[in-house]
Amino acid sequence: MFILLDIDGVMVTEPAWKKVEIAADGFMVFNEKSAKNLAEILISSDASVVLTTTHRINYPLDKWLQIFAARGITIKSISKLNNIGSVALMQSRAVEIQDWVNLQDKKTEYLIIDDDASLNTLPEHIKARCVITKSTAGFDDEAKQKALQLIGVNR
């Protein structure tokens, strides 16, 4: 199981007009509810994380593990959606996710957690695996419940 994870609008929920708080490690502070809910989903699903966020290009994977751990989230394995190293080379999130899905085995289980409206353009079989969050609410309890349903964990 893979969780394709965005950061802004999922884990970081400050409105665009408000300055985002930066933690001691130099990265943005996560919404506490979002962090707690993601930690629960990761425990329930034993999933690996695939970073879809634009921020993925800013840090190597070992630093990402530290960022999540400092926010109370244990990740067994982490990777990036692709190897693109520049924002200028990135395509829309929907295109990048569809490319990732197309490279996977048909039996690969995944869940997408993101606030990007472009995901509404994905083919139905991929969109059906999405939890689209509200950018100022993030991965709240409603989004967590939908995620649990999609991965087949009943709480």
Side-chain angles (χ1 to χ4, degrees):
M1 165 67 80
F2 295 94
I3 294 179
L4 283 71
L5 183 68
D6 184 24
I7 299 292
D8 294 329
V10 176
M11 304 309 298
V12 177
T13 57
E14 290 297 333
W17 54 266
K18 192 172 181 186
K19 185 175 180 183
V20 177
E21 186 180 347
I22 303 299
D25 59 10
F27 196 72
M28 298 174 285
V29 172
F30 286 2
N31 173 301
E32 286 183 33
K33 176 62 81 174
S34 295
K36 178 180 171 287
N37 287 344
L38 178 62
E40 288 178 25
I41 290 288
L42 289 170
I43 290 167
S44 297
S45 65
D46 197 33
S48 297
V49 170
V50 177
L51 293 171
T52 62
T53 177
T54 304
H55 297 292
R56 69 184 182 264
I57 66 172
N58 297 329
Y59 303 103
L61 294 173
D62 60 335
K63 177 65 175 176
W64 277 110
L65 288 171
Q66 292 170 10
I67 288 169
F68 281 99
R71 287 152 183 80
I73 303 167
T74 302
I75 296 177
K76 74 171 190 173
S77 141
I78 193 165
S79 61
K80 297 179 183 183
L81 188 60
N82 53 38
N83 292 322
I84 290 173
S86 162
V87 172
L89 298 175
M90 290 181 180
Q91 299 181 64
S92 77
R93 183 75 47 81
V95 168
E96 289 189 331
I97 287 174
Q98 188 167 354
D99 287 349
W100 182 90
V101 169
N102 290 341
L103 290 171
Q104 306 308 307
D105 182 280
K106 297 261 188 251
K107 294 179 183 175
T108 299
E109 294 182 18
Y110 61 91
L111 173 70
I112 302 161
I113 307 173
D114 205 311
D115 71 320
D116 193 324
S118 77
L119 300 189
N120 290 314
T121 66
L122 286 168
E124 285 302 319
H125 73 281
I126 300 174
K127 195 163 57 169
R129 306 296 307 157
C130 291
V131 174
I132 307 294
T133 63
K134 298 176 193 103
S135 62
T136 56
F139 194 53
D140 61 7
D141 289 338
E142 181 181 337
K144 179 181 89 170
Q145 288 308 313
K146 182 174 182 187
L148 289 168
Q149 288 175 335
L150 288 174
I151 63 175
V153 177
N154 295 322
R155 288 265 165 140

